[in-house]
Amino acid sequence: MSDTQEVDIIDQVVSQEYKYGFTTDIEMDSAPMGLSEEIVRFISAKKNEPEWMLEWRLKAYRYWLTLEEPNWQNFKLAPIDYQKIIYYAAPKEKIKLDSLDQVDPELLKTFEKLGISLTEQKRLTGVAVDAVFDSVSIATTFKDQLAEKGVIFCAISEALHEHPELVKKYIGSVVPYTDNYFSALNAAVFSDGSFVYIPKGVRCPMELSTYFRINAENTGQFERTLIIADDNSYVSYLEGCTAPMRDENQLHAAVVELVAMEKAEIKYSTVQNWYPGDKDGKGGIYNFVTKRGSCEGAHSKISWTQVETGSAITWKYPSCILKGDYSNGEFFSVAVTNNMQQADTGTKMIHIGKNTKSRIVSKGISAGKSHNTYRGLVKVNKKAENARNHTQCDSMLIGSRSGAHTFPYLEISNNTATVEHEASTSKIGEDQIFYCNQRGIGTEEAIGLIVNGFCKEVLNQLPMEFAVEAQKLLAVSLEGSVG
Amino acid sequence: MLSIKNLKAEIEGKKILNGLNLEVKAGEVHAIMGPNGAGKSTLSAVLAGRADYEVTEGTVDFDGKDLLELSPEDRAREGVFLAFQYPIEIPGVSNTNFLKTAINEKRKYQGLEPMEATDFLKMMREKMELVEMDKSLTSRSLNEGFSGGEKKRNEIFQMAMLEPKLGILDETDSGLDIDALRLVSEGVNKLRNKERSFIVITHYQRLLDYIVPDFVHVLYKGRIVKSGDASLAKELEEKGYDWIKQEVEANS
């Protein structure tokens, strides 16, 4: 096919409307715009937090003031004016909710529209949901059933009051506020997020899921998620997210910390569909997130699966610190960029314990004029005898104006390590599309089919209920990108 | 069923087809032979709707429809099937999933509901048996790591599944050893019936020993310059194409 035809095709497939771009009209209780010690105190007071929490926030804030925004990333970022962001916005009327009946019907409707029913009988069986709207958690479903098994699943603001000892012990233990610019900012101003604790020997009886929705204008979302899996426990957790279409960029700077004790396993999946901006690159979410898990105990396992289709910029490296002997870290990623989107994502696998194993499978798909970067670090410490890593890093280009980049870093300090890296770059061929066309499959379906085939290894890692969603999402985000 | 009149087509300004005429009736098998560069593969590409070929003149009527007006996928849904000379690999997409998508897209076009999973699997089994397709090939990624013979057999299997009105075989014999050639041909023969027509494009006569055509046409410089029955293929095998070329030059 000639170049001009190819370009037409790409333009068509890349210009699909964002389906979740609506806004909810609801009265909000917001902090004044801008960031200061006052704001940090304001947020802490809103949450009625214990003194130690406020102190921690203030330390983080003061530390943040000494930092400069990082600039090593492989994308262009216009300076962010941190004084033009609203750091706290919550729907009014939320006093203390005892049951779902008290949730504002407007909010319930919003989540229904997003396909997230908070009414338990309508929920997918086997999935408990925590719904976060702007700065607060609205509702958590199936709490009672989970409590029977001793599983704690609630908003982190609630955990601060109900289980302060757990929060105090683990918050910042995996991602300290000193870790990086955005983790410091998050520690200062985080407003809500999910908290999970799985007691010893318990296999969490259902999938846990948090759904994040940014609604209010000019606000940033700074949630914090903390998941602790005690000895011999198992949990599978999934997060999803959407935001309205707005012309300005909105910042989402979350922190996720996972702690897996001896023989515990945490499976963390993300289907990220923040508003990506329009096709000229106006608006969209800046998704700058710090996610890290610590395999504290021997034989523990942490597995990250991410399907990243949204956001104007995605900048994150869900990582595993493999402290326990025989611990195991996995990272499965699909990152799709289209139009003017940019992504710089990957993982860090830090091998500390003996006989630790890690596996990285990254699939990057770039269409339109977008750029997609894989950046990954595999580090094997001196004492990490017999560490093993396998990295597979595949890029797919759609059209001729997109870019794929790969930056694999290796730091190996122990010569018993086995580290393998495979990489490939391919282009969706016009031949492949024509072949599908000739069998009666239209171009958009063909791209969906080819892309899903390319990502199969990663999609197979998602919980069943979400794998189908993710497949559709991939097809939709590339709609209009080839023809 | 298929009526091609005065078809002219070019690629990147280079004229390939120069007024081609061909009538194919339901149930007939037409072989198109010719020397390299005569336009054989261009004919199949134009009929299937490859976008890099530009049709400058002529008409193609397919069952009362203007074929040239239809998109490639609609041509397929109307019943045109092209068995590719070089079948394409699609990693990660199973044959089964690919065919299910293709069949359901066609059904949607016809206003039908998607096929029930059990009916689909039953059909798969039947057609696999019919064309002696190895079961393991259907669960593997489409054509990925298939041998040349397996790829061609898979084309015939897909044809069996999609049940087209017109099957175009584009140099299906190329790169096949004699056993694979026999298997592929047997598959095609089983799909022959009163309704279904075939255009068999080949450089060599040997394929036509297995798939015996009703008509043989010689394509040269973008036109059909000689037509006959199956015996014409034998004559070409013995004498080559030079005598045809000379005949054409003498007449022009």
Side-chain angles (χ1 to χ4, degrees):
Chain A
M1 207 173 268
S2 72
D3 272 0
T4 45
Q5 274 152 348
E6 188 179 310
V7 171
D8 286 353
I9 287 168
I10 290 156
D11 283 348
Q12 286 162 24
V13 182
V14 190
S15 53
Q16 161 77 12
E17 290 280 311
Y18 183 70
K19 209 164 105 190
Y20 306 99
F22 63 90
T23 54
T24 306
D25 196 11
I26 192 163
E27 224 187 314
M28 297 297 282
D29 179 10
S30 303
M33 189 178 273
L35 184 53
S36 63
E37 266 197 38
E38 265 52 60
I39 292 292
V40 175
R41 286 175 193 280
F42 173 93
I43 293 169
S44 186
K46 274 278 169 200
K47 301 277 167 195
N48 222 345
E49 284 176 354
E51 190 59 27
W52 64 265
M53 193 73 241
L54 173 65
E55 285 308 315
W56 191 69
R57 285 176 180 276
L58 288 171
K59 271 194 261 174
Y61 174 67
R62 288 169 199 145
Y63 181 72
W64 178 75
L65 288 174
T66 68
L67 301 176
E68 303 230 344
E69 223 179 63
N71 61 0
W72 45 263
Q73 72 278 12
N74 187 32
F75 55 81
K76 289 188 200 92
L77 175 64
I80 298 171
D81 187 344
Y82 292 91
Q83 297 305 335
K84 288 237 169 87
I85 295 173
I86 295 169
Y87 289 85
Y88 182 83
K92 249 183 191 155
E93 286 177 36
K94 198 217 173 205
I95 313 143
K96 176 79 191 155
L97 297 174
D98 294 329
S99 83
L100 283 168
D101 305 339
Q102 289 164 275
V103 176
D104 189 319
E106 198 59 37
L107 284 174
L108 288 181
K109 255 198 299 192
T110 300
F111 282 96
E112 290 284 346
K113 240 167 132 176
L114 297 168
I116 311 291
S117 175
L118 297 179
T119 325
E120 290 187 2
Q121 50 272 41
K122 282 200 211 154
R123 272 302 304 173
L124 287 167
T125 40
V127 185
V129 179
D130 183 23
V132 176
F133 188 83
D134 289 328
S135 303
V136 290
S137 166
I138 301 299
T140 310
T141 62
F142 292 112
K143 262 162 102 167
D144 298 343
Q145 266 148 285
L146 290 167
E148 277 171 31
K149 293 259 181 185
V151 172
I152 305 168
F153 179 39
C154 63
I156 199 161
S157 54
E158 195 182 322
L160 261 174
H161 293 111
E162 309 283 325
H163 313 282
E165 67 303 332
L166 281 174
V167 178
K168 194 171 180 179
K169 184 170 175 191
Y170 290 106
I171 196 165
S173 70
V174 187
V175 182
Y177 64 78
T178 50
D179 190 76
N180 69 69
Y181 189 81
F182 297 103
S183 68
L185 179 63
N186 175 287
V189 302
F190 81 92
S191 46
D192 224 330
S194 300
F195 176 82
V196 177
Y197 173 78
I198 315 289
K200 282 187 180 142
V202 170
R203 195 179 164 87
C204 187
M206 54 182 90
E207 301 275 343
L208 303 184
S209 155
T210 302
Y211 195 88
F212 296 101
R213 173 76 176 167
I214 297 180
N215 183 63
E217 218 167 334
N218 298 315
T219 48
Q221 195 176 50
F222 306 92
E223 86 277 0
R224 206 168 171 106
T225 297
L226 177 55
I227 300 177
I228 301 141
D230 217 326
D231 297 351
N232 283 303
S233 67
Y234 170 86
V235 62
S236 169
Y237 179 93
L238 184 124
E239 59 170 11
C241 33
T242 57
M245 292 159 78
R246 297 196 188 278
D247 284 348
E248 78 276 6
N249 296 109
Q250 284 179 285
L251 179 63
H252 172 248
V255 169
V256 175
E257 297 178 279
L258 312 182
V259 181
M261 310 305 272
E262 202 175 309
K263 290 187 184 152
E265 180 176 349
I266 302 174
K267 195 171 157 61
Y268 193 105
S269 314
T270 304
V271 176
Q272 188 263 107
N273 188 23
W274 295 116
Y275 176 53
D278 71 6
K279 64 180 184 5
D280 301 316
K282 195 165 189 193
I285 302 293
Y286 288 162
N287 189 33
F288 301 166
V289 174
T290 309
K291 287 181 169 173
R292 193 173 303 152
S294 181
C295 284
E296 292 282 326
H299 298 277
S300 57
K301 181 174 176 184
I302 288 178
S303 179
W304 298 98
T305 302
Q306 58 172 24
V307 176
E308 305 280 324
T309 60
S311 298
I313 302 176
T314 294
W315 192 8
K316 62 177 213 177
Y317 312 94
S319 305
C320 296
I321 301 170
L322 304 168
K323 278 190 203 161
D325 292 346
Y326 296 94
S327 61
N328 190 349
E330 291 179 332
F331 175 74
F332 297 93
S333 170
V334 171
V336 181
T337 54
N338 199 351
N339 296 319
M340 306 294 282
Q341 278 177 280
Q342 306 181 85
D344 190 326
T345 184
T347 185
K348 289 190 268 186
M349 293 291 174
I350 315 294
H351 293 256
I352 297 171
K354 295 184 176 65
N355 300 300
T356 47
K357 245 185 0 190
S358 63
R359 183 167 170 218
I360 300 170
V361 179
S362 162
K363 306 274 180 177
I365 299 151
S366 345
K369 295 179 188 163
S370 69
H371 282 268
N372 205 327
T373 298
Y374 168 81
R375 188 188 300 276
L377 168 68
V378 175
K379 185 171 176 167
V380 177
N381 280 13
K382 238 187 205 154
K383 290 184 178 162
E385 297 286 322
N386 300 317
R388 271 158 55 196
N389 163 267
H390 187 267
T391 300
Q392 185 191 335
C393 201
D394 299 319
S395 309
M396 178 177 265
L397 296 169
I398 303 180
S400 50
R401 291 173 300 173
S402 56
H405 318 269
T406 306
F407 301 104
Y409 304 93
L410 296 174
E411 290 175 24
I412 314 297
S413 315
N414 183 308
N415 60 13
T416 61
T418 312
V419 177
E420 297 164 310
H421 182 92
E422 282 176 54
S424 76
T425 303
S426 57
K427 206 174 159 194
I428 283 201
E430 300 305 334
D431 285 346
Q432 284 177 323
I433 292 172
F434 181 69
Y435 189 74
C436 294
N437 288 160
Q438 211 303 305
R439 299 299 183 250
I441 302 169
T443 299
E444 306 232 320
E445 288 77 14
I447 289 173
L449 203 63
I450 295 165
V451 165
N452 276 308
F454 175 72
C455 302
K456 199 165 149 193
E457 269 174 284
V458 175
L459 297 178
N460 283 348
Q461 297 295 325
L462 287 174
M464 263 291 272
E465 295 88 333
F466 302 99
V468 178
E469 261 327 288
Q471 280 186 24
K472 282 189 208 147
L473 195 57
L474 284 180
V476 167
S477 35
L478 287 167
E479 241 167 74
S481 77
V482 185
Chain B
M1 118 130 23
L2 181 76
S3 171
I4 304 175
K5 292 209 169 83
N6 192 32
L7 186 63
K8 295 187 180 175
E10 54 185 58
I11 180 163
E12 286 160 4
K14 195 173 158 218
K15 294 188 172 76
I16 312 277
L17 298 182
N18 296 301
L20 185 141
N21 295 294
L22 182 67
E23 293 285 330
V24 179
K25 295 202 177 64
E28 290 178 352
V29 175
H30 291 245
I32 309 273
M33 301 185 70
N36 287 330
K40 298 193 297 291
S41 287
T42 299
L43 175 62
S44 66
V46 167
L47 291 178
R50 261 207 106 105
D52 26 11
Y53 292 87
E54 195 193 341
V55 174
T56 52
E57 226 180 299
T59 57
V60 179
D61 180 282
F62 180 66
D63 251 2
K65 290 210 162 67
D66 181 355
L67 194 70
L68 300 177
E69 281 299 304
L70 298 176
S71 66
E73 55 270 31
D74 282 350
R75 295 180 197 199
R77 294 163 186 163
E78 287 287 343
V80 175
F81 183 95
L82 171 63
F84 284 63
Q85 184 178 0
Y86 304 108
I88 304 297
E89 298 183 3
I90 305 185
V93 177
S94 72
N95 236 331
T96 308
N97 189 15
F98 181 72
L99 278 169
K100 199 165 74 190
T101 310
I103 283 178
N104 285 333
E105 287 284 306
K106 182 175 177 180
R107 290 176 67 92
K108 197 159 87 189
Y109 181 77
Q110 294 167 331
L112 298 171
E113 290 292 308
M115 203 174 208
E116 293 284 337
T118 46
D119 293 343
F120 175 77
L121 291 173
K122 192 167 158 246
M123 186 180 181
M124 288 271 287
R125 272 199 305 275
E126 284 169 8
K127 303 290 184 178
M128 261 187 299
E129 243 168 72
L130 182 72
V131 301
E132 293 177 49
M133 171 88 172
D134 191 324
K135 226 175 165 178
S136 69
L137 294 182
T138 57
S139 53
R140 275 164 57 184
S141 287
L142 187 62
N143 291 328
E144 198 187 25
F146 284 27
S147 71
E150 286 171 337
K151 282 184 182 173
K152 297 295 172 75
R153 274 163 74 185
N154 196 23
E155 293 290 286
I156 304 308
F157 171 61
Q158 289 183 25
M159 178 154 75
M161 288 293 289
L162 290 166
E163 303 181 323
K165 290 181 199 157
L166 172 68
I168 304 167
L169 309 184
D170 187 8
E171 310 225 7
T172 295
D173 50 335
S174 69
L176 292 190
D177 62 33
I178 201 75
D179 292 328
L181 184 70
R182 190 177 45 79
L183 272 168
V184 165
S185 308
E186 277 170 9
V188 172
N189 286 331
K190 284 180 186 155
L191 297 175
R192 282 175 80 160
N193 64 32
K194 284 203 301 269
E195 310 297 322
R196 187 171 294 140
S197 314
F198 288 90
I199 294 177
V200 181
I201 293 170
T202 180
H203 190 74
Y204 301 104
Q205 188 268 339
R206 64 173 192 166
L207 176 67
L208 305 179
D209 285 342
Y210 296 98
I211 304 171
V212 181
D214 301 304
F215 301 95
V216 174
H217 310 277
V218 180
L219 189 63
Y220 180 58
K221 289 193 173 170
R223 295 170 60 188
I224 286 172
V225 294
K226 196 167 189 72
S227 298
D229 58 17
S231 65
L232 175 58
K234 301 261 187 223
E235 199 176 347
L236 288 168
E237 179 74 0
E238 281 165 31
K239 294 162 55 179
Y241 288 105
D242 282 350
W243 63 283
I244 302 241
K245 292 181 187 171
Q246 282 156 16
E247 242 181 62
V248 173
E249 304 304 330
N251 288 342
S252 64

